[in-house]
Amino acid sequence: QVQLVESGGGLVLPGGSLRLSCAASGRTFSTYAMAWFRQAPGKEREFVAVISWSGKSTHYADSVEGRFTISRDNAKNTVYLQMDSLKPEDTAVYYCAAEVTAFLTIAASEYDYWGQGTQVTVSS
């Protein structure tokens, strides 16, 4: 069983930055593909970014490309999401997810474990 715990959310002004962290339990974290998703009120959960087990491959949603950066530290069992140039439309609950076969996918249904989420609010 894998447990994922997100942190780092909060209230930020438009144009500001936040860094989200997701700490994972378990000794096999380094073999998983890891992703971030988000869900705004009244909307479906949407893909944000994914990173391969090695950290060498990443993929982003068009809406965050060039503004967000996903990274991981396998020694710390942690994945990060650096969010810059934040916009009000980035407001959502952000979730990290683990895919145990290391398959890079943007489909939420393919992910095996999920965190509880952390709220990000971008507002003036």
Side-chain angles (χ1 to χ4, degrees):
Q1 190 77 343
V2 175
Q3 289 188 324
L4 304 174
V5 180
E6 302 97 334
S7 61
L11 174 64
V12 63
L13 293 171
S17 298
L18 280 177
R19 188 174 84 153
L20 305 183
S21 299
C22 173
S25 64
R27 293 176 290 178
T28 53
F29 169 83
S30 62
T31 66
Y32 300 158
M34 296 296 297
W36 288 94
F37 289 78
R38 67 187 182 186
Q39 188 167 17
K43 295 187 177 181
E44 294 186 355
R45 191 168 298 191
E46 65 172 356
F47 167 77
V48 174
V50 62
I51 188 167
S52 65
W53 66 270
S54 66
K56 292 182 179 179
S57 296
T58 58
H59 178 68
Y60 298 90
D62 289 345
S63 59
V64 306
E65 180 83 54
R67 299 188 298 121
F68 290 10
T69 303
I70 189 171
S71 62
R72 67 190 297 162
D73 185 338
N74 287 341
K76 295 182 178 180
N77 277 17
T78 302
V79 64
Y80 304 97
L81 185 68
Q82 177 67 40
M83 305 186 295
D84 299 317
S85 302
L86 282 160
K87 304 175 181 180
E89 51 264 44
D90 294 319
T91 295
V93 177
Y94 283 71
Y95 299 90
C96 70
E99 206 292 316
V100 301
T101 65
F103 181 60
L104 292 187
T105 175
I106 67 171
S109 60
E110 296 293 330
Y111 285 82
D112 303 286
Y113 299 102
W114 292 83
Q116 82 290 346
T118 186
Q119 176 71 46
V120 171
T121 303
V122 185
S123 175
S124 55

